[in-house]
Amino acid sequence: MPASILVVDDERDLRSAICHTLVREGFQPRTADTGAQALALARSEPPPDLVLLDLNLPDMSGIAVCQALRGDPLTRGMPVVMLSARVDEIDRVLGFEVGADDYVTKPFSLRELVLRVRAVLRRRVPPGATVERVTCGRVRVDAGAQRAWLDDRELALTALELRLLLLLVTRQGRVHTREALLAEVWGLSPNVTTRTVDTHVLRLRAKLGPAAGQLQTLRGVGYRFAPDGDASPEPE
């Protein structure tokens, strides 16, 4: 069955061009020109497999739409690719911080956009496929189902929090610098000056609750995830 792509953009000509290309490439596009309409379609049945989301919408910002998607259990794991004419690094950082899976700047090649869509969709594992389950201490992550648990309680994580946790748990015990995490999880240049990694680590620790000590700080070096969480994490 063709993957369903929700195209959210108030520029009719661009929306039409994107949809035409998606159909030609074997996808099934749906469209919205406002944030409210996008949220309604994202929560409808069947849900889209991915959302192409413009940042500048007439009723609300794409950032607000993405935050709403990540805050709803029905759409929390839905991949989001942001589209924006803003090219500054800080805008990309903000997009990733609210949970976008990728960020494409305008003007863009429609061929490049399709490649980005395919790349994001490849990260998802279809139902019935073999999935990777990793356990470290009290924390368990299912990469295929895009879910994580603390003991028997499921954790409410954003896509980026889950990606960060999965990387750390999969390489448990290994120390990762902030620069390495920024490059691997966010796809951003390690030369970017940002508190994005530290902010997400703090949020992740808050959600890990009694297992927060497993996500450890090595002052001046970076972070690691350990099976033994008895040691309290160092303050940032």
Side-chain angles (χ1 to χ4, degrees), residues 19 29 164 184 205 208:
C19 289
L164 175 61
E184 291 195 58
R205 280 188 181 137
L208 288 172

Side-chain angles (χ1 to χ4, degrees), residues 21 24-25 108-118:
T21 300
R24 188 181 64 206
E25 295 294 328
F108 50 77
S109 156
L110 290 172
R111 176 178 172 79
E112 177 194 358
L113 183 63
V114 169
L115 291 175
R116 297 282 194 98
V117 167
R118 292 192 190 281

